[in-house]
Amino acid sequence: MQPPALPYHPRQAWSHELAATIRLAWPLVCTNVTMALIGATDVLMIGWLGPTQLASASLGFNLAMLLSIFSMGLITAASPMMASEIGRKPNSVRDVRRTFRQSLWTALIICIPIWAILWNSGDLLLLLGQKPQLAALAQDYVRAYMWSILPFLWTLAARNFLSALEKPIWSLIIGIAGVIANAIFNYALIFGEFGAPALGVVGAGIGSILANSFMFLCMILVISRHKDFRRYRLFGRWWRSDWPRFREMWRLGLPIGISFGLEGGVFSVAVMLMGLISVEAVAAHAIALQIASLSFMVPMGLGQAATVRVGIGYGRKDAAMIRRAGWTSFVLGTGFMTVMAALLWIFPQQLISIFLQDAAANPNVAMLAVQFLAVAALFQIVDGAQVVGQGMLRGLHDTRMPMVIAGFGYWVVGIGVGAWLAFSAGWQGVGIWTGLATGLGIVAVLILIRWTMRARLGLLPA
């Protein structure tokens, strides 16, 4: 008979947690980077068409993302649910399968109103004060792109399953394949290469449909055939109802979705506000946001790892593990973003040149993008802190108060300060970015306070 395992020495416990977090987080981070690269590829290739096409596609894409990011939050609820189930019972199969299936249901149901709204995106953009030329071209793009949202959400559901099992490497492999597929589809359909028609921005939307469908089909193949996953039979009779689990997913996921939507909505509204300034401001904002988004993928992945690791500790009712898991991810995330802040500050022109093929021909766009990146460098640290912090709280199934904090920080402070600085104080685009930075800072501080008070607030498992 084996003697019982001795508990870790405190230093060993922290080093074990660090190793476990890095082992889980690096494929998640790299997978997030592949997702960002898909968007960056779209911006890069559409940017080759010209500033007008880039501005219109940016308006349409951000409107679509405002809705699909909310849906991502709903699906994300499956991650802490599955992690807690595995923490309570490591060999759990039925409960994990039930949660996964209801995440597929949730994705399908939420897409129906999203498609109805996005079909009328041109009218919505006109109501928001955008120029008719940009609104019309944006609608053409969105009416193609919107059909990619469902396979994207189903791919996300599969990623949540793989993360909960702490085996996200397959998400990375499929993500890399998706980047390559998206680049090929876009190049062919935007510019009419390889015998395909030249469809411009519409081609970028169709390319997104093909790329996301390809990735989901790869997920089905891996999960159904791989020896580590096939015993879960995730796609067998997935249409069977499970109303208690469905309601639990919405109870936990709705605040996450609203929080995601509030954050994504801030950046979408920022694009709309940029559209009120100039086409050059919209194009520069799109470039600066893509660069900042690439660095954001690292703390985002660490936040996802924190949700899983904290969630497992929550299921085990292990307060010490919860503490170690949360702080480990937090320090890694903020440390990385400190380095990225320095890079954005020192090398803005070199980074911008990647997305703007001929800066000399578009000097106003290049100049504005440099100014926006200067502000983006300042909020890198607090942006990383708030996303990892929210991941930590999600592991504790704490989603409602972070939603309130997000609403206050992003919209009351972020948009309020940004709009005032842009239009009343005359800072224009720089004012909008300064408001975003201020809002992110407020959210980061309040989230961190809530995490440090988790025991006093009754967030730890009894």
Side-chain angles (χ1 to χ4, degrees):
M1 180 177 178
Q2 293 283 345
L6 295 175
Y8 288 114
H9 183 276
R11 287 186 180 178
Q12 291 178 322
W14 280 98
S15 61
H16 173 78
E17 186 58 47
L18 176 62
T21 299
I22 292 174
R23 188 167 55 248
L24 173 60
W26 79 260
L28 293 173
V29 169
C30 293
T31 303
N32 289 336
V33 171
T34 63
M35 297 299 102
L37 285 174
I38 290 176
T41 301
D42 292 348
V43 171
L44 177 67
M45 292 188 178
I46 294 173
W48 293 345
L49 295 173
T52 299
Q53 288 86 345
L54 177 59
S56 62
S58 178
L59 288 169
F61 178 77
N62 279 276
L63 180 60
M65 286 304 294
L66 177 62
L67 299 175
S68 58
I69 284 175
F70 168 78
S71 306
M72 290 169 60
L74 284 174
I75 306 304
T76 297
S79 183
M81 289 172 66
M82 288 187 285
S84 298
E85 289 153 6
I86 292 171
R88 284 190 294 269
K89 186 179 178 182
N91 293 323
S92 175
V93 170
R94 182 172 179 269
D95 286 338
V96 171
R97 180 170 61 241
R98 289 171 61 194
T99 298
F100 175 81
R101 287 175 176 173
Q102 294 314 299
S103 68
L104 298 183
W105 275 49
T106 299
L108 177 60
I109 289 171
I110 196 62
C111 273
I112 295 172
I114 287 177
W115 288 331
I117 293 170
L118 291 180
W119 189 258
N120 299 290
S121 56
D123 292 334
L124 287 175
L125 290 171
L126 288 175
L127 287 174
L128 293 171
Q130 300 305 311
K131 297 176 175 61
Q133 179 189 7
L134 294 182
L137 197 54
Q139 178 173 276
D140 292 340
Y141 168 76
V142 170
R143 285 186 172 180
Y145 173 84
M146 69 183 198
W147 304 111
S148 71
I149 296 175
L150 181 59
F152 168 75
L153 292 176
W154 280 350
T155 302
L156 177 61
R159 287 177 57 193
N160 288 335
F161 165 74
L162 295 173
S163 298
L165 267 63
E166 298 188 87
K167 295 183 178 181
I169 189 66
W170 283 105
S171 296
L172 173 58
I173 293 171
I174 293 171
I176 292 172
V179 172
I180 297 171
N182 184 72
I184 294 172
F185 292 143
N186 273 6
Y187 187 65
L189 294 169
I190 292 174
F191 304 107
E193 301 293 338
F194 311 127
L199 301 176
V201 295
V202 174
I206 297 173
S208 296
I209 299 172
L210 297 175
N212 282 295
S213 298
F214 166 75
M215 287 189 288
F216 181 58
L217 290 175
C218 290
M219 283 290 190
I220 292 175
L221 182 64
V222 169
I223 291 173
S224 300
R225 301 293 297 275
H226 195 281
K227 62 182 179 61
D228 292 336
F229 313 129
R230 62 190 177 206
R231 68 190 181 96
Y232 289 90
R233 295 185 291 111
L234 294 186
F235 298 103
R237 299 182 181 179
W238 71 272
W239 56 86
R240 292 182 63 181
S241 62
D242 187 345
W243 298 116
R245 187 60 55 98
F246 182 78
R247 287 192 294 270
E248 176 64 14
M249 177 161 290
W250 279 81
R251 184 195 68 80
L252 185 62
L254 191 59
I256 300 176
I258 293 173
S259 296
F260 276 28
L262 289 171
E263 181 177 6
V266 162
F267 290 98
S268 295
V269 169
V271 174
M272 306 302 170
L273 294 175
M274 290 291 181
L276 300 177
I277 297 172
S278 67
V279 172
E280 291 82 4
V282 176
H285 178 79
I287 293 169
L289 190 58
Q290 278 298 323
I291 294 170
S293 296
L294 286 173
S295 64
F296 178 76
M297 294 301 103
V298 175
M300 181 179 176
L302 286 163
Q304 293 165 337
T307 297
V308 172
R309 295 295 299 167
V310 171
I312 291 173
Y314 185 84
R316 294 177 182 173
K317 300 184 179 181
D318 187 343
M321 179 183 175
I322 290 172
R323 174 172 173 266
R324 290 192 301 269
W327 285 120
T328 298
S329 292
F330 184 83
V331 171
L332 289 172
T334 53
F336 173 83
M337 291 301 265
T338 301
V339 174
M340 289 306 303
L343 292 177
L344 293 184
W345 184 266
I346 297 171
F347 303 110
Q349 293 179 342
Q350 290 85 344
L351 294 170
I352 290 166
S353 65
I354 298 173
F355 295 91
L356 196 61
Q357 192 175 30
D358 189 358
N362 298 281
N364 291 335
V365 175
M367 178 191 67
L368 289 172
V370 169
Q371 294 175 0
F372 297 164
L373 277 186
V375 183
L378 299 177
F379 77 66
Q380 288 289 288
I381 299 172
V382 293
D383 199 13
Q386 64 89 22
V387 71
V388 177
Q390 293 200 54
M392 292 150 59
L393 292 177
R394 279 195 292 273
L396 299 176
H397 293 207
D398 179 33
T399 60
R400 292 186 181 181
M401 185 52 66
M403 174 189 69
V404 175
I405 292 172
F408 173 75
Y410 299 147
W411 288 87
V412 177
V413 178
I415 290 297
V417 171
W420 181 80
L421 288 175
F423 301 107
S424 297
W427 289 22
Q428 295 192 323
V430 173
I432 293 172
W433 274 79
T434 303
L436 295 176
T438 306
L440 288 169
I442 292 294
V443 173
V445 170
L446 294 178
I447 289 292
L448 187 58
I449 290 173
R450 186 165 180 82
W451 169 257
T452 57
M453 296 177 64
R454 60 192 178 279
R456 199 178 312 173
L457 296 172
L459 299 179
L460 297 179

